[in-house]
Amino acid sequence: MSSLQVEGMDIRPVVLEGQVVRLVPLTRDHLPALSAVGLDPELWRWTTQVVTTPQQMAAYIETALTDQTRGTALPFATCLRDGRVIGSTRFGNVERVNRRVEIGWTWIARPWQRSAVNTEAKYLMLRHAFEQWGCLRVELKTDALNQVSRRAILRLGAKEEGVLRRHMITETGRIRDTVYFSILDTEWPAVKDRLLAMLAQPTGPHSGASPTSD
């Protein structure tokens, strides 16, 4: 696989592994497993793209892989340590020159929401962005109406920056406002400690309350 290297950022498929989850590079082979857990309409309530059929899931994967080929995204299948696929997430809007990236396009099947899954996945991705790529800034965004997701992102330690009004048109035709959040490299050590403390308390509050953050 070829790598894209600019300003020290080496954007290539990689496995990110924790105690609970493994984030593995997304491929077309993940279509059956993702379709088995990911066609629940509630998962896509607040996203711009609706995925409720295997054909729509196939298109979702193709879009992610096309962006990966362009060097602007790095998508993952979210798996448990036993190999079960339970969702997907992605680095997107990769800006190598300015060392900036977005974490999002995240959904987790309902049985694994409100667990350590999303907390650890975000920790693994943030650690990779700041400690491997040397990012100055990591962005997250969500629908302004998605209060659960907004609280979950804040719980990670991200800072809310503001609302972009009438920012996106969803597949249903609804015009949505989008809330942007960020974590800076200077904030990462404190955020890292926060996430590790959360992960050390498996019965405590986690950031996994919401299935979506894009």
Side-chain angles (χ1 to χ4, degrees), residues 2-6 9-12 68-71 96:
S2 64
S3 64
L4 297 165
Q5 291 185 302
V6 179
M9 289 181 68
D10 184 0
I11 311 299
R12 73 173 79 194
Q68 177 176 302
T69 300
R70 291 172 177 162
R96 292 181 294 279

Side-chain angles (χ1 to χ4, degrees), residues 21-214:
V21 298
R22 295 180 77 242
L23 302 180
V24 303
L26 183 68
T27 72
R28 295 176 183 88
D29 292 339
H30 287 116
L31 175 59
L34 290 175
S35 296
V37 298
L39 303 183
D40 178 358
E42 186 61 25
L43 293 175
W44 310 95
R45 179 180 179 188
W46 300 112
T47 60
T48 56
Q49 188 173 354
V50 176
V51 181
T52 56
T53 69
Q55 293 76 20
Q56 289 172 330
M57 184 65 77
Y60 185 82
I61 292 171
E62 286 300 321
T63 297
L65 295 178
T66 296
D67 288 345
Q68 177 176 302
T69 300
R70 291 172 177 162
T72 61
L74 191 58
F76 298 93
T78 303
C79 306
L80 298 179
R81 289 291 299 271
D82 63 10
R84 281 179 292 170
V85 177
I86 60 169
S88 183
T89 191
R90 195 180 312 174
F91 288 114
N93 293 324
V94 176
E95 178 54 77
R96 292 181 294 279
V97 172
N98 293 305
R99 290 158 57 190
R100 181 176 71 238
V101 70
E102 181 178 340
I103 293 176
W105 299 267
T106 301
W107 61 269
I108 297 167
R110 280 205 264 185
W112 295 278
Q113 293 174 24
R114 300 185 183 276
S115 73
V117 166
N118 192 45
T119 306
E120 187 172 63
K122 290 295 191 294
Y123 165 73
L124 294 171
M125 295 177 78
L126 287 165
R127 185 179 67 180
H128 193 73
F130 287 118
E131 298 182 12
Q132 298 300 317
W133 289 345
C135 286
L136 300 177
R137 168 186 172 90
V138 173
E139 299 174 341
L140 304 98
K141 70 179 186 292
T142 193
D143 193 310
L145 297 178
N146 191 348
Q147 294 296 331
V148 175
S149 182
R150 292 175 69 165
R151 289 193 296 269
I153 295 171
L154 288 171
R155 202 175 297 123
L156 293 170
K159 306 294 185 185
E160 183 173 324
E161 295 187 323
V163 178
L164 299 187
R165 299 177 299 165
R166 298 176 70 81
H167 179 233
M168 305 176 79
I169 301 175
T170 70
E171 278 195 357
T172 64
R174 181 174 65 87
I175 301 175
R176 87 172 205 182
D177 296 342
T178 298
V179 187
Y180 267 85
F181 303 79
S182 70
I183 299 171
L184 306 182
D185 58 337
T186 53
E187 298 164 343
W188 168 236
V191 171
K192 181 178 182 178
D193 288 345
R194 177 190 183 96
L195 293 175
L196 288 173
M198 292 167 66
L199 290 167
Q201 302 176 28
T203 59
H206 286 285
S207 66
S210 171
T212 56
S213 58
D214 66 341

